[in-house]
Amino acid sequence: MAFWRRNSYVEKERRVKANAQDYNDKFSYADNHIKTSKYNIFTFLPVNLFEQFQRVANAYFVVLLILQLIPVISSLSWFTTIVPLVLVLVITGVKDATDDYFRHKSDQQVNNRQSQVLIRGGLQNEKWMNVRVGDIIKLENNQFVAADILLLCSSEPYGLCYIETAELDGETNLKVRQALTVTSDLGDVPKLMDFDGEVICEPPNNKLDKFTGTLYWRDNKYSLDNDKMLLRGCVLRNTEWCFGMVIFAGLQTKLMQNCGRTQFKRTSIDKLMNTLVLWIFAFLICMGVILAVGNTIWETWVGRRFEVFLPWDEFHNSAVFSGFLTFWSYIIILNTVVPISLYVSVEVLRLGHSFFINWDQKMYYSQTDTAAEARTTTLNEELGQVEFIFSDKTGTLTQNIMIFSKCSINGQAYGDVYDEFGQKVEITEKTACVDFSFNPLSDRGFKFYDNGLVEAIKKEDPAVQEFFRLLALCHTVMPEEKSEGNLVYQAQSPDEGALVTAARNFGFVFRARTPETVTLWEMGRAVTYQLLAILDFNNVRKRMSVIVRTPQGQIKLYCKGADTIIFDRLDQSSEDLMYTTSEHLSEFAGEGLRTLALACKDLDEGYYDVWMKKLLFVSTVIENREDQLALLYDEIEQGMKLLGATAIEDKLQEGVPETIACLNLADIKIWVLTGDKLETAMNIGYSCNMLRDDMNEVFVISDHTLLEVQKQLRRAKEHILSLSRVSSQGNIEKTDMFTDDSVFEEAIIAEYALVISGHSLAHALEPQLEHMFLDLACLCKTVICCRVTPMQKAQVVELVRRHKGSVTLAVGDGANDVSMIKTAHIGVGISGQEGMQAVLASDYSFAQFRYLQRLLLVHGRWSYYRMCNFLGYFFYKNFAFTLVHFWYGFFCGFSAQTVYDQWFITLFNIVYTSLPVLAMGLFDQDVNDQNSLRYPSLYKPGQQNLLFNKRQFFLCTLHGMTTSFLLFFVPYWAFSVMVKEDGSVFSDQQAFSVTIATSLVTVVSVQIGLDTHYWTAVNHLFVWGSLIVYFAILFAMQSDGLFDIFPNNFPFIGTARNCLSEKSMWLVILLTTVVCVVPGLVVRFLRMDLFPTLTDKVRHLQQSRKKQGPQEQNLKRVRRTSSRRSAYAFAHQQGYGELITSGKNMKMSTVSSACTPERTSCGSNWIENMLKRKNEVSCMSQQTAGAPESSTRAKQTLMQQHTN
């Protein structure tokens, strides 16, 4: 960063005073203006040129241009270098300016949003960029939060408000925030104008889930936490209005702190080309020195004989000085080994590849009218070399949509569809849905396919009715009826919304609630239950219960939760049903569904009264209140009767398991980095088949101390390496355990997975543990990091990028993924429901995760293949073209005389050979897209950088040097023995030049024809058209007419006509072409016949099947068979049960006035506890986080399935 941007003042704490702008200005806090662009109108030219001249070739051509401006050493015109150089700089600059223009446009759109700010006694509309720290702003429903603000008051009771944080964490479920009690009544402008509180808090940071501060007001101080803050990027929902005080603005908001810096990304081929240009420059120097020494020797021994009629210039008075000048002359002549047109062509190719991505209809998502977009044009070939993919979960792998899929009620499973023969039928889009027309309040978007469940409801089966009654009562969902029958549920999590919606469609409609009651619409009649207590969910209990009084006066407890927890609390009478239900749960879990057990209990009036008195007493205890409440809850939840189980599908995006399986076959490692809880992340891992029961081990790291994390990492690594070494070598001493671990990374056959929590990851990323963590992670087939912060995501990517040297790709959909996307070599944004922050920061974007498969295996592999072939051919043809001058130097007295006509030198790379190589670089395919997807192993050469590397460069240059040698000496030998038809000899240099030039154009055209595997009309036009254009220009430039007009510029008058009219000359050209091409053709034939690559085999197979037409890829979805239950409850946060029973989240008009004193007391304690615990992250117990036992079954990998 430049010195003028450095801020010597490090903020240790922030002091903000409301309605005191002069006071706040003293601290020079950032304003609310944001900037994600790289340039402005003043910095664009210097900064962009600086970035462009980081390419060694650009600097190299500037030096050549300077040399060409010196007449005494230049034998070529200066315009042959400056025109292409300026063209390259302008094209690249325009592209960079266009990209940055859209960033400016996006910034301007955000900065110009309107917000209502309290100024001079009234609310005024201000642009977001004019909002400053300390301002009090008003937000209205569905508005974005302009800055990080402290919530002061809202339209809801008790200062509550609801927000959606999709832009921050990708989650679309609502979250609750509450203002301090002392500020919650500041609901009108005069009171807010008088508010002069001062906040002292933490300095700006990137921790989205933490905030620490204190409000000082009226000689009192009040503790502030994240529960009181609304962060920039959130959206206000279901709240008419709220007021807040700006604490952090602009680039200092937590959202922007997590965005990371925009980096200048370059591909590995760009970096390699920089190295190769240095090599070529060194080679050029060597050739210049050899020819300069030759000139000195020649001038000393031979040249002095010609001084009589070719005297030296005044300053040119020695052979050594002549050699010095010759050195620079040859540097200019031979500079075409790296022509500037190479970089123009590379930019054109990248632009073309980007358009192919944008135009690909198979990556277009019609439901949202979203096409794939290459937002940068510089990274396309890097897409063909990816080894690590870092993916977010919510919104990227999943749709964040929960669907009630199946259930088990009283031992009967529902949800599957059977045909008339009793065979299970796969459910597709064409499968007929259940008709819910009998229920006028049903949700039309709900789909279920088993008619048996509807029939059971219509028959008024008591068990089925009790099942759905539980789902309609036992939850913390808030209903909103916008019009008669138009119900909208606001759920704490999508899981709860799915369950309540299912009950609604099957005739048990949750209609309304108050702190005291829950009203259902049961099969067309209203039924109101008195809500006596909510025993809320947390991560230790893994269940929630409600106690209600039925209209008949009976007291009932309804409970739902993890099956292992519920089964331990069942009455003995449910034992047989438990075994049946357990079998159903195993089937549901085997399909990757998130399961949940349901139970109920009838309570005696006397027992309930005694228990409630205990509850009221424990609710007032100060010490160990939560533990005592848990014991009391557990007491009443014993001896329950099992009702059944539910199975919810956490709906993956279409094609996710198949895409992951295909990418795994391509040897791409996929790491999931998510902010979700450990169990939720593992559930999705199983659903995606990233985790499977036939894996040898799933290591779960979830400790909180550095020492414990170190022990777990070491133990897991020792386990993998010891098993691998013992299986291959027998028993080995433990002291040799970690020697040469990298050798074993490629040789591990067993499959392992690593799941690590955010707390443990923080320690694992410490310098003393990062190598151990990375080694273990790379030994595992699957890595899942859960509960990670946005900055931790970037740190994980940076760790792999720094130490593995592999190409990394990060894919996400929310603002919490931006830093990860910017850190990776390639950033991909999913344009979904969670906003556009990730897309705006990405290099590529599309609508569905499954398109990543086509982006990498088709477009990425093709781009890499085409670029490598293009570079190899380009260096070959230019060495063949340029080094003829080197051989000619030994026969022209090392005088820096060019072999070719100057116009041929100028036009060779621009006209004669530019279009054929561009056509090959744009359209060539080794195999088609179907086979690229069908055989993912074709992707591996790119990862190993096999198609273009230093070795391949050496072979290309050797081929070019050999061709240049033959191009010179075959015509040279022929001219020495050949005569014209009239008996005269070919002795003129111009005829020799035309022969070599024609042979060169013919040879490189034939060679590109042999190198092209996929011919299009464009390829034919450019290859044969370039040959025709060459001869047309050759005869035109050597015609009498041009010589008469420009005698000094076109000296080769009539040479082409005289030379090419001789049959023997065409024989020489043919002989030269055959001698240059055939050896390479023989080598290629022998290699393909004796040592065929996978690409050769697939291409041969493709050609043999060409008559059968294209075949669609058929990667079958692999269903997981598992005994592992994935309970939905694990995905929950601390519940909102106490908030509901307190009535604080409801409008005043809906709160019952008949609340008893005892009830009010109990409610106040619940709300107090909830507010303390609502956003705390409960840690998994060691038993829950334990890894599943190793499977003893024989493992059949996806590759084996694919091969078979």
Side-chain angles (χ1 to χ4, degrees):
M1 185 180 292
F3 67 88
W4 59 83
R5 290 188 181 178
R6 289 179 183 160
N7 188 355
S8 58
Y9 172 70
V10 178
E11 191 175 344
K12 295 181 179 179
E13 67 175 16
R14 171 152 295 205
R15 293 175 172 267
V16 182
K17 198 168 185 179
N19 297 314
Q21 201 58 58
D22 294 337
Y23 174 82
N24 297 324
D25 286 344
K26 294 190 302 182
F27 301 101
S28 301
Y29 296 140
D31 58 23
N32 207 35
H33 178 273
I34 66 162
K35 177 178 176 290
T36 60
S37 55
K38 292 167 61 177
Y39 317 109
N40 59 40
I41 194 170
F42 300 107
T43 62
F44 172 74
L45 195 59
V47 173
N48 187 258
L49 286 176
F50 173 75
E51 289 178 347
Q52 291 202 55
F53 282 114
Q54 285 184 330
R55 286 180 174 173
V56 176
N58 286 345
Y60 162 71
F61 287 117
V62 169
V63 173
L64 282 177
L65 176 61
I66 295 172
L67 291 176
Q68 284 184 281
L69 295 175
I70 304 174
V72 71
I73 62 173
S74 178
S75 54
L76 293 174
S77 301
W78 58 271
F79 64 81
T80 59
T81 297
I82 194 170
V83 172
L85 177 61
V86 170
L87 187 63
V88 169
L89 297 178
V90 168
I91 289 175
T92 307
V94 168
K95 177 178 65 67
D96 292 341
T98 303
D99 291 343
D100 209 56
Y101 167 75
F102 288 111
R103 294 192 194 100
H104 272 287
K105 196 172 179 181
S106 172
D107 291 345
Q108 190 175 14
Q109 181 182 0
V110 172
N111 288 328
N112 289 333
R113 286 178 179 170
Q114 296 291 312
S115 184
Q116 297 182 67
V117 183
L118 197 62
I119 302 175
R120 293 184 293 274
L123 290 170
Q124 297 182 15
N125 282 331
E126 279 284 353
K127 294 179 179 179
W128 273 25
M129 62 182 178
N130 296 329
V131 172
R132 295 189 290 180
V133 171
D135 284 347
I136 293 177
I137 64 176
K138 179 182 180 181
L139 297 173
E140 295 180 345
N141 194 32
N142 296 326
Q143 279 189 348
F144 277 95
V145 180
D148 290 356
I149 66 174
L150 170 67
L151 179 62
L152 297 177
C153 57
S154 77
S155 58
E156 302 300 295
Y158 305 98
L160 290 168
C161 76
Y162 300 91
I163 58 170
E164 182 184 283
T165 59
E167 282 280 0
L168 297 177
D169 54 21
E171 296 181 7
T172 55
N173 50 292
L174 298 185
K175 296 178 174 61
V176 177
R177 295 292 183 263
Q178 184 176 28
L180 288 168
T181 305
V182 293
T183 65
S184 61
D185 61 348
L186 300 176
D188 51 39
V189 171
K191 290 181 180 179
L192 288 166
M193 286 301 300
D194 294 336
F195 177 67
D196 60 353
E198 182 178 10
V199 172
I200 300 177
C201 65
E202 62 188 20
N205 59 72
N206 57 18
K207 297 176 181 177
L208 292 171
D209 57 347
K210 290 184 179 179
F211 178 81
T212 305
T214 306
L215 172 65
Y216 294 85
W217 189 40
R218 295 176 178 172
D219 300 325
N220 288 312
K221 59 181 182 179
Y222 307 93
S223 176
L224 302 175
D225 56 20
N226 202 50
D227 217 20
K228 313 293 187 295
M229 296 293 295
L230 306 183
L231 302 184
R232 182 186 180 118
C234 298
V235 182
L236 193 67
R237 299 290 192 201
N238 295 350
T239 307
E240 189 177 339
W241 54 261
C242 72
F243 283 93
M245 182 174 90
V246 177
I247 305 297
F248 301 119
L251 297 176
Q252 293 181 337
T253 58
K254 291 182 182 287
L255 172 66
M256 299 306 296
Q257 290 279 305
N258 274 290
C259 282
R261 292 182 58 191
T262 301
Q263 299 181 356
F264 177 62
K265 296 183 178 182
R266 290 187 297 162
T267 67
S268 56
I269 285 184
D270 270 338
K271 297 171 185 174
L272 176 61
M273 284 173 62
N274 277 350
T275 303
L276 297 182
V277 166
L278 292 176
W279 285 12
I280 291 172
F281 185 69
F283 179 65
L284 186 59
I285 297 292
C286 291
M287 288 194 296
V289 168
I290 291 171
L291 294 169
V293 171
N295 177 265
T296 302
I297 295 172
W298 189 88
E299 288 288 355
T300 303
W301 290 358
V302 182
R304 294 188 182 278
R305 303 174 190 172
F306 300 93
E307 287 184 25
V308 177
F309 59 90
L310 286 175
W312 282 343
D313 296 330
E314 294 181 5
F315 63 89
H316 187 175
N317 53 14
S318 72
V320 174
F321 189 70
S322 174
F324 174 77
L325 295 179
T326 301
F327 169 80
W328 294 108
S329 296
Y330 270 114
I331 292 295
I332 295 172
I333 290 174
L334 299 174
N335 81 83
T336 50
V337 285
V338 187
I340 190 68
S341 60
L342 170 65
Y343 289 91
V344 179
S345 302
V346 166
E347 293 301 326
V348 171
L349 287 185
R350 286 173 172 166
L351 185 63
H353 296 163
S354 299
F355 280 124
F356 292 154
I357 293 173
N358 295 345
W359 294 337
D360 192 343
Q361 289 296 312
K362 294 181 180 178
M363 295 171 68
Y364 169 75
Y365 191 56
S366 58
Q367 293 186 21
T368 58
D369 190 28
T370 304
E373 181 183 6
R375 298 174 54 81
T376 181
T377 59
T378 57
L379 302 174
N380 296 323
E381 64 269 18
E382 199 96 314
L383 290 170
Q385 299 179 275
V386 173
E387 288 188 62
F388 288 87
I389 292 177
F390 301 91
S391 174
D392 180 37
K393 182 194 76 69
T394 305
T396 303
L397 299 179
T398 66
Q399 300 181 30
N400 203 26
I401 297 173
M402 305 296 174
I403 296 177
F404 182 85
S405 181
K406 297 181 180 182
C407 63
S408 171
I409 305 175
N410 198 26
Q412 175 67 42
Y414 297 96
D416 289 322
V417 179
Y418 298 88
D419 59 18
E420 61 271 19
F421 303 107
Q423 299 295 320
K424 186 185 294 186
V425 178
E426 184 178 357
I427 295 174
T428 65
E429 293 181 0
K430 297 181 180 179
T431 305
C433 298
V434 170
D435 182 12
F436 290 107
S437 59
F438 71 93
N439 181 4
L441 293 177
S442 63
D443 183 349
R444 294 181 181 178
F446 180 83
K447 292 182 179 180
F448 198 75
Y449 300 92
D450 187 354
N451 284 290
L453 190 52
V454 175
E455 295 301 321
I457 280 287
K458 291 180 178 178
K459 292 177 182 177
E460 298 185 354
D461 185 324
V464 176
Q465 289 188 332
E466 192 74 349
F467 179 90
F468 285 112
R469 185 176 291 115
L470 185 151
L471 294 183
L473 290 171
C474 187
H475 55 79
T476 56
V477 174
M478 295 298 298
E480 183 180 354
E481 191 159 2
K482 296 184 176 180
S483 60
E484 181 64 27
N486 183 17
L487 279 168
V488 177
Y489 292 142
Q490 300 297 340
Q492 173 192 352
S493 69
D495 314 68
E496 285 218 310
L499 293 173
V500 176
T501 300
R504 169 185 175 179
N505 277 267
F506 285 100
F508 286 75
V509 184
F510 169 53
R511 198 75 182 267
R513 75 154 76 240
T514 71
E516 299 294 330
T517 63
V518 175
T519 300
L520 304 185
W521 200 262
E522 296 185 357
M523 302 304 292
R525 53 191 176 85
V527 181
T528 299
Y529 294 84
Q530 185 180 353
L531 183 61
L532 302 178
I534 294 181
L535 315 186
D536 213 349
F537 167 88
N538 64 39
N539 273 342
V540 178
R541 284 171 42 76
K542 299 183 180 64
R543 63 192 184 277
M544 89 166 275
S545 301
V546 294
I547 301 175
V548 298
R549 189 186 300 274
T550 68
Q552 293 76 27
Q554 185 181 5
I555 299 176
K556 302 204 70 168
L557 178 143
Y558 292 105
C559 181
K560 66 181 181 184
D563 53 291
T564 52
I565 301 297
I566 299 296
F567 287 174
D568 289 341
R569 289 159 176 78
L570 294 179
D571 186 72
Q572 289 185 352
S573 61
S574 297
E575 187 171 345
D576 292 339
L577 179 58
M578 181 183 72
Y579 288 125
T580 305
T581 305
S582 182
E583 292 177 3
H584 293 157
L585 283 167
S586 296
E587 293 177 13
F588 298 158
E591 299 176 21
L593 303 178
R594 302 168 73 162
T595 58
L596 181 72
L598 310 182
C600 66
K601 179 182 179 181
D602 292 329
L603 297 178
D604 180 77
E605 187 81 36
Y607 173 75
Y608 168 74
D609 290 339
V610 173
W611 182 85
M612 181 55 75
K613 289 177 182 177
K614 292 180 184 178
L615 180 65
L616 292 174
F617 171 75
V618 170
S619 298
T620 60
V621 173
I622 297 176
E623 293 184 1
N624 299 323
R625 181 189 301 174
E626 292 186 10
D627 294 338
Q628 294 187 50
L629 280 172
L631 290 173
L632 201 58
Y633 291 170
D634 191 56
E635 174 191 323
I636 201 170
E637 290 170 335
Q638 297 294 330
M640 295 185 292
K641 176 185 174 183
L642 183 63
L643 290 177
T646 62
I648 293 178
E649 181 182 359
D650 185 359
K651 195 167 181 60
L652 296 173
Q653 286 196 11
E654 184 182 346
V656 166
E658 294 86 347
T659 298
I660 290 175
C662 192
L663 294 176
N664 280 333
L665 291 176
D667 218 13
I668 298 174
K669 299 178 177 66
I670 301 177
W671 293 18
V672 175
L673 311 179
T674 177
D676 283 323
K677 294 183 184 296
L678 185 143
E679 277 292 342
T680 308
M682 291 184 70
N683 291 340
I684 297 301
Y686 278 102
S687 299
C688 297
N689 291 309
M690 295 178 66
L691 299 177
R692 300 191 311 278
D693 275 350
D694 60 1
M695 282 183 159
N696 294 68
E697 193 75 62
V698 177
F699 301 104
V700 180
I701 313 293
S702 59
D703 278 310
H704 290 261
T705 65
L706 188 143
L707 187 61
E708 287 299 320
V709 171
Q710 184 178 21
K711 287 180 180 178
Q712 287 196 344
L713 291 174
R714 181 181 288 114
R715 193 181 303 120
K717 187 175 178 181
E718 287 177 357
H719 178 80
I720 295 176
L721 295 179
S722 61
L723 286 182
S724 300
R725 298 189 182 202
V726 167
S727 64
S728 60
Q729 302 175 10
N731 293 326
I732 288 183
E733 294 294 329
K734 195 171 183 178
T735 53
D736 297 331
M737 186 68 64
F738 295 119
T739 57
D740 296 326
D741 288 344
S742 59
V743 175
F744 288 89
E745 187 176 318
E746 297 297 328
I748 298 249
I749 300 175
E751 290 189 356
Y752 300 93
L754 173 66
V755 182
I756 184 168
S757 67
H759 295 291
S760 299
L761 183 63
H763 296 301
L765 292 174
E766 293 290 331
Q768 59 268 42
L769 290 187
E770 63 177 17
H771 285 284
M772 186 183 297
F773 166 66
L774 184 60
D775 290 342
L776 173 62
C778 290
L779 292 172
C780 295
K781 186 176 182 65
T782 296
V783 178
I784 298 177
C785 303
C786 51
R787 274 298 180 201
V788 294
T789 65
M791 197 50 66
Q792 280 180 324
K793 291 184 179 184
Q795 289 170 346
V796 171
V797 176
E798 178 61 30
L799 178 67
V800 174
R801 180 172 177 168
R802 188 170 67 248
H803 293 295
K804 298 302 293 183
S806 304
V807 177
T808 59
L809 181 147
V811 53
D813 67 322
N816 58 329
D817 303 314
V818 168
S819 55
M820 170 178 74
I821 285 171
K822 288 186 175 181
T823 303
H825 291 90
I826 304 167
V828 175
I830 303 290
S831 51
Q833 304 174 2
E834 290 76 20
M836 296 294 288
Q837 288 288 335
V839 171
L840 293 174
S842 66
D843 304 304
Y844 301 89
S845 67
F846 40 71
Q848 294 280 290
F849 180 83
R850 70 178 186 272
Y851 297 148
L852 186 62
Q853 176 182 352
R854 187 169 180 85
L855 181 70
L856 298 184
L857 302 189
V858 177
H859 291 286
R861 201 183 70 80
W862 278 351
S863 293
Y864 174 70
Y865 166 79
R866 290 163 176 168
M867 186 63 72
C868 291
N869 277 12
F870 166 82
L871 291 174
Y873 175 79
F874 213 103
F875 284 119
Y876 153 76
K877 78 177 179 69
N878 280 286
F879 268 77
F881 163 60
T882 304
L883 263 61
V884 171
H885 293 297
F886 179 79
W887 310 119
Y888 184 56
F890 291 91
F891 297 89
C892 67
F894 306 96
S895 60
Q897 169 69 39
T898 60
V899 178
Y900 313 111
D901 173 19
Q902 182 168 314
W903 285 105
F904 180 81
I905 295 174
T906 304
L907 297 176
F908 177 76
N909 280 306
I910 297 176
V911 177
Y912 300 150
T913 60
S914 61
L915 294 180
V917 71
L918 275 178
M920 183 181 72
L922 283 172
F923 303 112
D924 198 23
Q925 302 173 11
D926 51 351
V927 298
N928 59 29
D929 56 340
Q930 290 95 346
N931 282 323
S932 295
L933 295 171
R934 188 178 292 116
Y935 302 99
S937 294
L938 293 171
Y939 189 81
K940 294 179 182 179
Q943 296 171 324
Q944 300 163 13
N945 205 21
L946 296 181
L947 299 188
F948 189 76
N949 49 39
K950 293 172 183 176
R951 179 177 176 275
Q952 291 298 320
F953 169 75
F954 175 75
L955 292 177
C956 292
T957 54
L958 184 62
H959 187 195
M961 292 171 66
T962 305
T963 301
S964 70
F965 183 86
L966 295 173
L967 279 169
F968 179 80
F969 283 101
V970 170
Y972 182 79
W973 167 80
F975 267 58
S976 66
V977 298
M978 188 173 62
V979 295
K980 297 181 182 180
E981 292 181 3
D982 60 2
S984 61
V985 297
F986 289 94
S987 59
D988 62 298
Q989 187 267 343
Q990 291 185 346
F992 184 62
S993 170
V994 169
T995 304
I996 293 180
T998 305
S999 299
L1000 172 64
V1001 173
T1002 306
V1003 167
V1004 297
S1005 297
V1006 171
Q1007 187 64 50
I1008 200 170
L1010 295 173
D1011 289 344
T1012 301
H1013 296 103
Y1014 182 74
W1015 283 87
T1016 66
V1018 176
N1019 292 83
H1020 284 288
L1021 176 65
F1022 285 178
V1023 172
W1024 313 126
S1026 294
L1027 276 173
I1028 295 171
V1029 167
Y1030 164 71
F1031 285 108
I1033 293 177
L1034 176 67
F1035 284 102
M1037 286 189 171
Q1038 298 184 11
S1039 64
D1040 298 345
L1042 280 178
F1043 177 78
D1044 293 339
I1045 302 172
F1046 307 103
N1048 294 328
N1049 294 324
F1050 298 97
F1052 279 44
I1053 179 173
T1055 304
R1057 182 174 63 253
N1058 296 331
C1059 177
L1060 297 179
S1061 61
E1062 296 288 335
K1063 296 177 183 178
S1064 56
M1065 191 63 66
W1066 286 106
L1067 184 61
V1068 172
I1069 294 171
L1070 177 62
L1071 177 64
T1072 305
T1073 303
V1074 171
V1075 170
C1076 289
V1077 171
V1078 168
L1081 193 61
V1082 171
V1083 171
R1084 181 179 302 184
F1085 172 79
L1086 292 175
R1087 182 189 62 76
M1088 291 179 62
D1089 192 55
L1090 300 177
F1091 310 103
T1093 63
L1094 178 62
T1095 304
D1096 296 329
K1097 295 175 183 177
V1098 174
R1099 189 189 301 121
H1100 177 73
L1101 189 65
Q1102 176 178 304
Q1103 291 170 349
S1104 65
R1105 292 180 175 177
K1106 197 170 184 180
K1107 295 181 180 179
Q1108 302 176 15
Q1111 300 176 10
E1112 291 299 321
Q1113 181 195 16
N1114 187 23
L1115 273 176
K1116 293 184 179 180
R1117 177 166 180 166
V1118 182
R1119 289 286 181 180
R1120 158 181 154 241
T1121 54
S1122 167
S1123 59
R1124 185 181 183 281
R1125 311 278 170 70
S1126 51
Y1128 100 101
F1130 288 122
H1132 268 265
Q1133 299 176 348
Q1134 174 72 39
Y1136 295 145
E1138 296 171 9
L1139 185 62
I1140 289 171
T1141 54
S1142 72
K1144 289 194 173 185
N1145 65 328
M1146 302 177 190
K1147 303 290 185 183
M1148 289 301 192
S1149 58
T1150 65
V1151 179
S1152 173
S1153 60
C1155 186
T1156 63
E1158 294 83 357
R1159 200 57 216 139
T1160 306
S1161 172
C1162 182
S1164 64
N1165 282 295
W1166 275 339
I1167 185 65
E1168 180 182 348
N1169 292 336
M1170 189 284 303
L1171 291 175
K1172 289 180 180 178
R1173 301 177 311 205
K1174 182 171 37 143
N1175 281 320
E1176 292 180 2
V1177 179
S1178 299
C1179 302
M1180 292 291 175
S1181 65
Q1182 191 71 19
Q1183 294 176 351
T1184 303
E1189 295 181 1
S1190 301
S1191 174
T1192 58
R1193 297 193 304 268
K1195 177 174 57 123
Q1196 183 178 18
T1197 63
L1198 284 172
M1199 179 61 81
Q1200 289 171 324
Q1201 296 173 7
H1202 167 69
T1203 304
N1204 294 335

